[in-house]
Amino acid sequence: MIENLTINDFGPVPDTEGLAGVPARITAQHKERYEIVSPSGFSYARLKTGAYYAGEELFPTVGDYVTVREVENGDGQILRTLPRRSFFARRASGPTVKEQAIAANFDCVFLLQSMNQNFNLRRLERYLTLAWQSGAQPVIVLTKADLTDDRAAFLAQAERVAPGVAAHAVSAQTGEGLERLAPYLQPGKTLVFLGSSGVGKSSLVNALAGEEVMATGGIRELDGKGRHTTTHRQLVRLQSGVLVIDTPGMRELGMAESSDGLESAFADVEALLGKCRFSDCSHEREPGCAIRAAIAAGELDASRWESYRKLRDESRDNEDLLRRKREWSKGVAKARRLRGKGRES
């Protein structure tokens, strides 16, 4: 029963010796209120505003380990965010540049696309870049295998833009291909499910669980799109001991800092960049351009090169803006601390 679960059932517990509070893991976030699991079981907690809004701590997200001061019959207080072993973020939509944390401390990222109108190689490249950047292992999962007779063609396209990344075709309805996911489904391991609305994330979670643990919704026949049945990020534990972070379908996945992710997701492109005749080659009209030569020889798709350029430029622009915003925030936090010390004296 879920009432009997504690933090020990949600992966290896980090060492918090010498730190105030008890260890806990974030299982869901509801605006400023967090659902947590600690040695005492499930409860709720809120941030220690002095530490977090002064810029001293990273704001936690689902999957994070934190220390908490527990309060009997009330919301506890989150004191500190513990170091992360992996982290997935995107640029949040809106007029200002802001990094939105999606999940933390996971072992594997399942990148889901369905084998219908949802299938999009450029979107897949974007997801792969951010998955590699997270520090975890990406795995491509193509869903709704029961709705197509051309699984091999879909798999071949996915593998072409993701060399070295495993790709699997599955069906949550018939169970086809689910056995191929078994190597990733180990007790105590945490998986993140990412994909746009309607790809069947919740249905796949239910199929792997062998029971309905996530709500599912229907698909519009006209365009193959689904309703947002997952409304917030949530860490759930399957009966098998596997831990899953399900996320809402994301229409936009803006690039945050992703230089390392680009290097891994586009290793074929990166390998060509140092082979041009001129070190400052713009890859437009210069003679001896390795990129243009590879495209002309059919060794590199022009669309893949354009995708790389778009993601690289987007990442650089956002990285610079985010860096300046962090520096500004640190300055504000420092000024607040100095004002506080001035009042004390």
Side-chain angles (χ1 to χ4, degrees):
M1 295 292 291
I2 189 171
E3 291 83 0
N4 298 324
L5 297 177
T6 71
I7 189 174
N8 295 301
D9 299 299
F10 282 77
V13 182
D15 181 16
T16 58
E17 185 177 356
L19 300 179
V22 299
R25 195 171 190 191
I26 307 291
T27 58
Q29 181 180 354
H30 309 279
K31 294 186 177 179
E32 297 179 355
R33 197 176 189 220
Y34 295 82
E35 181 181 312
I36 63 171
V37 60
S38 71
S40 304
F42 284 93
S43 61
Y44 289 89
R46 296 177 184 270
L47 300 176
K48 181 181 180 182
T49 55
Y52 282 91
Y53 289 95
E56 298 172 6
E57 293 290 336
L58 293 173
F59 282 85
T61 187
V62 175
D64 261 322
Y65 288 97
V66 296
T67 57
V68 177
R69 180 180 294 118
E70 295 184 301
V71 176
E72 188 174 358
N73 300 322
D75 289 355
Q77 187 180 50
I78 298 174
L79 306 175
R80 173 176 293 189
T81 303
L82 299 178
R84 296 159 169 161
R85 69 175 187 272
S86 57
F87 175 65
F88 187 94
R90 66 167 177 171
R91 173 182 170 174
S93 58
T96 60
V97 176
K98 181 180 179 182
E99 186 178 65
Q100 180 186 23
I102 303 298
N105 298 310
F106 44 87
D107 302 282
C108 188
V109 184
F110 276 9
L111 305 175
L112 278 71
Q113 288 202 353
S114 52
M115 290 180 279
N116 55 14
Q117 299 96 321
N118 173 267
F119 189 78
N120 185 303
L121 291 178
R122 305 289 80 83
R123 186 191 301 128
L124 180 58
E125 289 171 333
R126 181 177 288 264
Y127 273 69
L128 275 165
T129 299
L130 292 176
W132 279 120
Q133 183 72 21
S134 76
Q137 175 188 8
V139 177
I140 298 170
V141 181
L142 303 183
T143 61
K144 306 186 181 181
D146 55 300
L147 301 182
T148 180
D149 294 324
D150 208 3
R151 303 169 190 78
F154 281 106
L155 283 168
Q157 291 182 71
E159 290 168 349
R160 190 167 61 248
V161 301
V165 177
H168 306 284
V170 304
S171 169
Q173 299 300 317
T174 67
E176 177 186 345
L178 294 184
E179 73 282 355
R180 300 189 186 95
L181 302 182
Y184 314 106
L185 307 175
Q186 302 299 319
K189 297 295 185 181
T190 302
L191 313 177
V192 174
F193 282 46
L194 294 174
S196 54
S197 179
V199 299
K201 296 189 300 296
S202 297
S203 294
L204 181 57
V205 172
N206 291 339
L208 296 175
E211 59 180 326
E212 186 167 344
V213 295
M214 305 297 295
T216 59
I219 302 297
R220 298 198 298 261
E221 293 183 4
L222 184 63
D223 57 9
K225 295 182 178 179
R227 296 190 293 271
H228 291 284
T229 53
T230 301
T231 57
H232 60 277
R233 297 181 295 281
Q234 184 175 0
L235 171 63
V236 297
R237 182 184 185 276
L238 308 186
Q239 291 290 338
S240 62
V242 176
L243 306 167
V244 173
I245 298 177
D246 192 20
T247 62
M250 292 178 281
R251 291 190 178 92
E252 296 182 12
L253 194 64
M255 303 295 289
E257 298 177 43
S258 52
S259 56
D260 292 340
L262 276 167
E263 185 176 341
S264 297
F266 291 87
D268 54 337
V269 177
E270 293 263 345
L272 294 170
L273 293 179
K275 296 182 178 180
C276 297
R277 182 183 302 176
F278 302 106
S279 59
D280 60 346
C281 184
S282 67
H283 317 297
E284 295 291 341
R285 298 182 178 84
E286 295 92 336
C289 174
I291 295 293
R292 290 171 51 225
I295 293 173
E299 298 169 357
L300 176 67
D301 287 341
S303 58
R304 183 160 169 79
W305 165 241
E306 288 304 317
S307 179
Y308 171 83
R309 290 181 59 177
K310 179 180 179 181
L311 296 179
R312 178 199 62 191
D313 294 347
E314 185 180 335
S315 175
R316 285 177 177 174
D317 290 344
N318 290 338
E319 184 174 353
D320 183 57
L321 291 171
L322 286 168
R323 177 183 55 77
R324 282 185 280 168
K325 185 174 182 179
R326 289 194 194 102
E327 291 174 352
W328 176 84
S329 297
K330 287 180 180 178
V332 171
K334 183 178 180 180
R336 286 175 178 170
R337 289 194 296 271
L338 291 174
R339 285 199 301 268
K341 291 180 179 178
R343 295 191 190 99
E344 292 174 0
S345 59

